[in-house]
Amino acid sequence: AFSEWPNSLQTLPPLAPLRPIDKEKYTVRINTWRRNPQLLHCVDHYATCPGVAAVHIVWNDPENAPPEKLAKHRSGMVVVEDHTAVNSLNERFLVPDGGAPSTKGILCVDDDLFYPCEALDAGFFKWTRSPNRMVGYDRRLHD
């Protein structure tokens, strides 16, 4: 819940210096909810991007198991995280113990948004110049 967040960003520890992998690769975290065909298409796309080190799926469906194609994805870079205890959009920001991405650069997307690999790389390399800042692509509007 938002009320559990720190009152000030000064309470957060500073980001450790970037390692060589953090300057070259990033992790894509995909938040999903019962759109398996779309999710698989999304994973297939992001797994082909040269800058992507891993694709993490934030699985929020307590009634259905993730498709087997995800756990055995041909890229070998897919990690499925089980977030079924609570169905919340905020789950995308919580990393389970032992499931931390191998990179400091993390792109959070929904399974219904696709960005060209070149756009991801451009945002990532902008972030590497100022890693204590957030970089985004576009906002989501809901009526």
Side-chain angles (χ1 to χ4, degrees):
F2 185 75
S3 61
E4 296 171 8
W5 287 29
N7 292 332
S8 164
L9 291 179
Q10 279 93 19
T11 62
L12 297 174
L15 187 66
L18 297 182
R19 303 163 299 168
I21 190 173
D22 299 322
K23 296 177 183 178
E24 299 169 7
K25 300 274 187 179
Y26 50 91
T27 299
V28 175
R29 288 176 57 88
I30 304 172
N31 200 53
T32 187
W33 174 254
R34 296 188 178 171
R35 293 185 286 231
N36 292 351
Q38 199 163 334
L39 172 63
L40 289 167
H41 183 62
C42 190
V43 169
D44 288 343
H45 168 68
Y46 289 127
T48 66
C49 296
V52 174
V55 178
H56 286 211
I57 309 301
V58 182
W59 190 257
N60 287 306
D61 187 349
E63 297 174 16
N64 299 293
E68 193 172 310
K69 285 184 178 180
L70 286 177
K72 298 180 180 180
H73 194 266
R74 65 182 177 270
S75 68
M77 60 175 24
V78 176
V79 175
V80 179
E81 299 176 7
D82 184 5
H83 288 261
T84 58
V86 177
N87 182 19
S88 167
L89 289 174
N90 293 328
E91 289 296 303
R92 75 180 72 216
F93 302 113
L94 302 176
V95 178
D97 291 338
S102 60
T103 64
K104 289 188 182 2
I106 301 169
L107 171 67
C108 292
V109 296
D110 289 334
D111 59 6
D112 61 343
L113 292 177
F114 291 83
Y115 297 102
C117 296
E118 296 80 12
L120 299 183
D121 286 347
F124 169 70
F125 288 117
K126 180 177 259 189
W127 172 81
T128 61
R129 292 191 299 271
S130 186
N132 288 318
R133 293 191 165 265
M134 290 177 53
V135 174
Y137 294 90
D138 54 30
R139 60 187 176 174
R140 300 286 300 254
L141 298 175
H142 298 279
D143 292 330

